[in-house]
Amino acid sequence: MGNMLGCVQVDQSTVAVKERFGKFEKVLEPGCHCIPWCIGDAVAGNLTLRLQQLDVRCETKTKDNVFVTVVASIQYRALAENASDAFYKLSNTRSQIQAYVFDVIRASVPKLILDDVFEQKNDIAKAVEDELEKAMSAYGYEIVQTLIVDIEPDEHVKRAMNEINAAARMRVAANEKAEAEKIVQIKRAEGDAEAKYLSGLGIARQRQAIVDGLRDSVLGFSVNVPGTSAKDVLDMVLITQYFDTLKEIGATSKSSAVFVPHGPGAVRDIAEQVRDGLLQASTSNHGAH
């Protein structure tokens, strides 16, 4: 009914382009407008002013010869004050924007290696936005924002990158494990050294106590039994200890076979060896004092 009376409605966030006999006359704002068709007036079409988004997938090659797919998201809208340019100058706005995106990305990415593409994606987005803003402003469009939302290398390259990353992490873990084992070995060696030192100190004190005990026994026996020399007493004490040792070896159920030279000559040799050792120990003690 409105069309019969020459009335048209323009919706919110939309403008209409009015022509008279095929020539542009003016832009109609949202609301109700009278279009007297009898004098050649007509609405050529509508133009939305809403924010629109276009996702562009562009395949290109990096400087290190890796094929990647760059996904750019372009947010744009037509300007109400330049609605006539936006309506008449472009027949396919999305194709025009896509062409500029391809041009900028394929000029920027081949100058960078793959790692730099990821690091400098904001710079790439800024270059795309600047080029689009400069080109599309002449057609009555505003570029609100440009984002590089994804960078997709070839599947084989992605797998290789993941393997490199995993190998690097394993290398760090191996270094940390080796360092920990090194610390444990150092601490264990320090503990062994301390234990051996204390063991040696204990053995030295034990031997000193044995020497002191034998000396006291020899001196006491010589005083209490007249006519005996210190050598006689020492031989007797050593023979007694020799037989006690044989007795202990034989009495131990878990002992292995032990071959010990036995006889008067063997006992005499053992006594001479012990006596020489005692004399050397006594000489060392006197020298230390």
Side-chain angles (χ1 to χ4, degrees), residues 21-276:
F21 295 111
K23 180 180 178 182
F24 171 73
E25 185 176 60
K26 69 175 183 177
V27 175
L28 302 179
E29 301 290 337
C32 182
H33 300 271
C34 182
I35 306 295
W37 56 268
C38 58
I39 60 173
D41 288 352
V43 174
N46 296 328
L47 181 68
T48 179
L49 302 180
R50 291 187 178 93
L51 184 67
Q52 301 182 70
Q53 178 168 310
L54 173 64
D55 292 331
V56 180
R57 299 177 62 88
C58 177
E59 185 178 16
T60 185
K61 186 175 71 170
T62 63
K63 187 177 182 179
D64 47 350
N65 296 320
V66 177
F67 282 93
V68 295
T69 299
V70 181
V71 182
S73 181
I74 314 300
Q75 298 175 352
Y76 67 98
R77 65 185 171 196
L79 297 173
E81 59 271 20
N82 296 325
S84 60
D85 292 336
F87 185 81
Y88 285 106
K89 288 186 177 181
L90 286 179
S91 60
N92 193 330
T93 306
R94 300 173 75 86
S95 297
Q96 186 77 7
I97 292 176
Q98 182 173 301
Y100 281 111
V101 173
F102 281 171
D103 181 65
V104 176
I105 289 179
R106 287 174 176 168
S108 302
V109 172
K111 299 177 182 177
L112 305 172
I113 62 174
L114 181 59
D115 291 340
D116 291 343
V117 172
F118 283 95
E119 293 177 2
Q120 301 182 27
K121 69 173 188 174
N122 290 336
D123 295 337
I124 298 173
K126 186 67 168 59
V128 173
E129 183 173 339
D130 291 344
E131 184 66 23
L132 282 175
E133 184 69 33
K134 182 172 59 177
M136 298 303 293
S137 61
Y139 300 109
Y141 282 91
E142 174 190 15
I143 303 300
V144 178
Q145 193 168 19
T146 301
L147 302 172
I148 300 297
V149 296
D150 198 7
I151 299 173
E152 302 173 358
D154 181 77
E155 189 62 33
H156 297 291
V157 177
K158 289 171 66 176
R159 190 179 302 114
M161 292 174 67
N162 290 334
E163 290 176 356
I164 292 172
N165 188 34
R169 292 182 181 275
M170 290 178 64
R171 184 166 60 251
V172 172
N175 290 337
E176 294 293 335
K177 182 179 179 181
E179 190 66 24
E181 291 178 353
K182 175 184 175 183
I183 294 174
V184 170
Q185 291 178 359
I186 291 174
K187 293 299 181 182
R188 186 182 295 119
E190 292 176 351
D192 291 342
E194 183 68 17
K196 290 178 181 178
Y197 169 76
L198 295 176
S199 176
L201 189 61
I203 293 173
R205 290 176 178 174
Q206 180 186 24
R207 290 176 178 175
Q208 183 63 40
I210 292 173
V211 171
D212 294 340
L214 288 175
R215 184 176 62 249
D216 294 341
S217 299
V218 170
L219 292 177
F221 196 91
S222 299
V223 172
N224 295 326
V225 182
T228 58
S229 65
K231 179 178 180 301
D232 296 333
V233 177
L234 182 60
D235 288 342
M236 184 180 67
V237 172
L238 292 176
I239 290 173
T240 301
Q241 291 186 347
Y242 174 75
F243 282 109
D244 288 341
T245 302
L246 292 179
K247 179 180 177 181
E248 291 180 1
I249 293 175
T252 304
S253 60
K254 296 183 179 180
S255 298
S256 302
V258 179
F259 295 94
V260 179
H262 186 64
V267 174
R268 184 175 61 251
D269 292 340
I270 294 173
E272 290 178 354
Q273 293 175 10
V274 174
R275 189 184 304 110
D276 292 341

